[in-house]
């Protein structure tokens, strides 16, 4: 069970009538969005981050902070995502049986194969579909959108609803719930880590329809707390509190029970309800006002106060009985099962105390008890428990600033990371200062800076990965300065690489040097190496200059080559980019082809169910003495059975005949007599196979999203392209 902050100053001697009302909390209903004060309190609460259960502030407010990770373990497509997020829940007692939850990312980090376009959904679900519980729909957003929500403080809302149980007293139900999340199209080579997200939390929420709370006819609360009354002996400034004598009476009953009246003949009293020694058995339970237990408790209290039987020798002696201006205070309260008459109606021992106290203080304290019952939704009998806490002094500003910071935050190098802090009990305008220190494990030159070190919640940016300690110091000019620290974990971000030269599908003749230029970005303090894989079993390395990789390579044979540039930083992060180039050899041979394949379903998007024959004829060659890349002779024609697609080439752009026995040709043509189409023809002579890709050119001369035919969708690189075996005819490569 978890602690709860008291909502009011409550007590329970005289004046316990349910109509006696002091300061009453307004009916609670969930806000449209969490208030900033509670959100900041949650984000800095150690309890909120300590475990899956989170921080239960009171029966109407709960929150937790959590983290989920996804790591792509594929070395060719490394990727990482980490999200820290806060979830805040609100109960209600306004006659509606539901709870509202709000989720907001605190930080979102992703790179590599996990991009802003990948999506992640969250939900607050009834765990194992407990009876009577229903949940609102999950919310799915891209990582980019979640990142935006972290930056703007945008909340996502969920609702958990409960139906009344007609077979239970107060129509009560208990529901476990869980925070669920799911990646869209999560690949098997991703490893996910979390701190229990998706599992049920370690407690239940409670919903009831008790009819004895006036207009608060139904409610849902966070049940697993220690609801308790707080009595201060002194005010914050050191003066006597308005309930001092009541507080001292209960304090003595807890600390020195055997010295309180009435004495127990066996010399051992165990007075229940002590919050500071709370157990599963020493609680208090509420009974109905002016019900039989209440009436018996009041009568028993009067007998003990006046020294009547059976308290003739053990009750309050005549000289200590109430006089003018005093009441006889009892503890436990008359409105509890553990009250003075418990020995009669529950066969319990004489574990209570009575004492003469100031009538004003007694009634001041007692007038608040109905409010406590209402505000903390204390049910009758076995369905609820509560305790009492005596504190030496009320909370206040006497001890100087009270500051809290989130124990841990994290983010990515070179990117702003939000710090979270709260401040209370300050007089005037205190000075605020953030400082940061690294560790011996940080790389030389690693530094961090704040966007404004003199505000409570600045952003910090570090130029290298590592662990840093950020410290907040507050000085109100009256008390000693107060400092709190937070651990800042900064993740390495792989370099972000682009290739500006060559351009995609750029054409080169065999023997012509190919210059690769690949600029990249990365955190300021990183150093780098470049590696270029040329797709012909050749790999070269270099050290970049001004964060640009420059390398040159000469291809010795025709082909379609996918060049990959990999930039690795000194922390092991690698970023990649690739570009495909065309290398032709006008002396490398020519092709003749004529034959048929069976066109599969899906090859022709205009009629995806179509299956039929595709007839293809192709002759493409470089004439003697030509330099290319355009072949001087040739044509390609294709006819899909049924007349749905007829291609006629009107121009050729290049021909590649690779030593592997595969070939590719690119050109433009007409489809059904209409111009404006590009095509790619792939062939192989052992075994005989082909692939035909046709697309609308538009403003793009390479295949785009306007594909109108492709019998075997696959990689466009010649080595990786898949072909359909011919049912008749052949492909001939002539050297």
């Amino acid at each position: 069970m978890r602690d709860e902050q008291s909502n009011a100053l409550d007590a329970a001697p005289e004046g316990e009538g349910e109509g006696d009302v002091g300061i009453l909390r307004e009916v609670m209903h969930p806000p449209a969005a969490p208030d900033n004060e509670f959100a900041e309190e949650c984000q800095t609460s150690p309890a909120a981050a300590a475990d899956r259960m989170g921080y239960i502030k009171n029966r109407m407010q709960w929150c937790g902070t959590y983290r989920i990770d996804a790591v792509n373990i594929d070395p060719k497509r490394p990727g990482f995502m980490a999200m820290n997020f806060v979830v805040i829940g609100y109960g209600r007692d306004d006659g509606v049986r539901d709870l509202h939850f709000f989720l907001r990312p605190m930080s979102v980090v992703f790179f590599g194969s996990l991009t802003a376009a990948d999506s992640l959904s969250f939900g607050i679900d009834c765990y194992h579909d407990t009876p009577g519980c229903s949940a609102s729909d999950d919310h799915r957003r891209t990582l980019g959108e979640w990142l935006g929500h972290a930056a703007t403080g945008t909340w996502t809302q969920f609702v958990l609803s409960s139906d009344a149980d007609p077979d239970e007293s107060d129509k009560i139900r208990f529901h476990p719930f869980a925070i669920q999340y799911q990646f869209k199209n999560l690949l098997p080579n991703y490893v996910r880590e979390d701190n229990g997200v998706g599992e049920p939390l370690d407690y239940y929420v409670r919903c009831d329809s008790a009819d004895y709370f006036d207009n608060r006819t139904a409610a849902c609360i966070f049940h697993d707390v220690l609801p308790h009354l707080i009595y201060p002996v002194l005010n914050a400034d050191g003066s006597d509190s308005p309930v001092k004598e009541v507080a001292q009476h209960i304090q003595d009953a807890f600390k020195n029970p055997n010295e309180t009246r009435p004495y127990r003949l066996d010399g051992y009293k165990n007075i229940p309800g002590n919050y500071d020694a709370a157990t599963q058995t020493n609680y208090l339970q509420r009974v109905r006002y002016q019900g039989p237990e209440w009436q018996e408790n009041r009568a028993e209290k009067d007998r003990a106060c006046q020294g009547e039987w059976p308290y003739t020798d053990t009750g309050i002696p005549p000289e200590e009985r109430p006089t003018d201006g005093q009441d006889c205070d009892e503890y436990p309260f008359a409105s509890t099962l553990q009250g003075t008459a418990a020995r009669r109606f529950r066969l319990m021992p004489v574990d209570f105390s009575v004492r003469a106290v100031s009538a004003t203080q007694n009634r001041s304290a007692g007038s608040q008890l109905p409010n406590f019952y209402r505000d903390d939704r204390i049910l009758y009998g076995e369905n609820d428990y509560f305790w009492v806490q005596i504190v030496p002094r009320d909370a206040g500003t006497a001890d100087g600033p009270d500051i809290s910071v989130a124990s841990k935050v994290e983010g990515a190098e070179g990117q702003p990371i939000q710090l979270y802090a709260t401040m209370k009990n300050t007089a005037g305008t205190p000075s605020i200062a953030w400082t940061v220190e690294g560790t011996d494990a940080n790389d030389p030159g690693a530094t961090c800076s704040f966007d404004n070190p003199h505000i409570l919640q600045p952003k910090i940016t570090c130029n290298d990965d590592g662990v840093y300690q950020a410290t907040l110091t507050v000085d109100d000019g009256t008390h000693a300065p107060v400092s709190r620290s937070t651990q800042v974990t900064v993740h390495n971000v792989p370099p972000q690489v682009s290739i500006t030269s060559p351009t995609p599908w750029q054409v080169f003749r065999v023997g012509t040097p190919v210059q690769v230029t690949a600029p990249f970005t990365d955190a300021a303090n990183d150093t780098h190496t470049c590696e270029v894989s040329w797709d012909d079993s050749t790999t070269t390395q270099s050290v970049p200059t001004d964060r640009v990789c420059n390398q040159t390579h000469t291809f010795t044979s025709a082909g379609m080559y996918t060049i990959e540039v990999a930039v690795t930083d000194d922390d092991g992060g690698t970023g990649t980019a690739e570009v495909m180039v065309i290398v032709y050899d006008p002396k490398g041979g020519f092709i003749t082809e004529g034959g048929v394949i069976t066109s599969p379903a899906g090859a022709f998007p205009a009629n995806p169910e179509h299956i039929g024959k595709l007839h293809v004829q192709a002759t493409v060659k470089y004439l003697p003495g030509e330099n290319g890349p355009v072949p001087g002779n040739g044509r390609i024609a294709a006819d899909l059975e049924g007349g749905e697609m007829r291609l006629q080439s009107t121009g050729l752009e290049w021909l590649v005949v690779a030593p592997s026995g595969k070939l590719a040709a690119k050109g433009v043509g007409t489809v059904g007599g209409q111009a404006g189409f590009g095509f790619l023809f792939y062939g192989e002579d052992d075994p005989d196979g082909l692939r035909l890709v046709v697309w609308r050119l538009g403003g793009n001369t390479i295949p785009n999203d306007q594909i109108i035919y492709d019998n075997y969708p696959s990689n466009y690189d010649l080595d990786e392209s898949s072909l359909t075996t011919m049912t008749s005819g052949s492909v001939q490569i002539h050297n």
Side-chain angles (χ1 to χ4, degrees), residues 710-724:
D710 189 347
N711 60 282
Y712 209 138
S714 54
N715 198 312
Y716 291 119
D717 188 319
L718 180 59
D719 294 336
E720 303 293 333
S721 184
S722 299
L723 311 182
T724 300

Side-chain angles (χ1 to χ4, degrees), residues 462-535:
C462 300
N463 70 348
D464 205 351
D465 66 309
V467 177
Y468 305 83
Q469 179 174 283
T471 300
L472 168 64
T473 300
V474 176
D475 187 352
D476 65 2
T478 302
H479 304 87
V482 179
S483 297
R484 298 288 185 272
S485 296
T486 182
Q487 178 179 294
V488 182
T489 300
V490 181
H491 296 281
N492 181 57
V493 178
Q496 305 297 302
V497 187
S498 62
I499 298 176
T500 57
S501 175
T503 58
W505 297 64
Q506 187 171 344
V507 182
F508 297 88
R509 183 173 177 172
V510 165
T512 302
V514 177
Q515 172 74 40
V516 165
T517 302
F520 61 89
T521 59
D522 200 5
N525 199 48
D526 285 349
T527 59
H528 305 85
T529 58
C530 297
E531 181 175 277
V532 181
S533 299
W534 298 97
D535 199 19

Side-chain angles (χ1 to χ4, degrees), residues 78-81 109-115 412 415 491-494 496:
F80 175 78
M81 189 284 300
V109 180
F110 54 86
F111 45 78
S113 57
L114 275 169
T115 70
Q415 299 177 15
H491 296 281
N492 181 57
V493 178
Q496 305 297 302

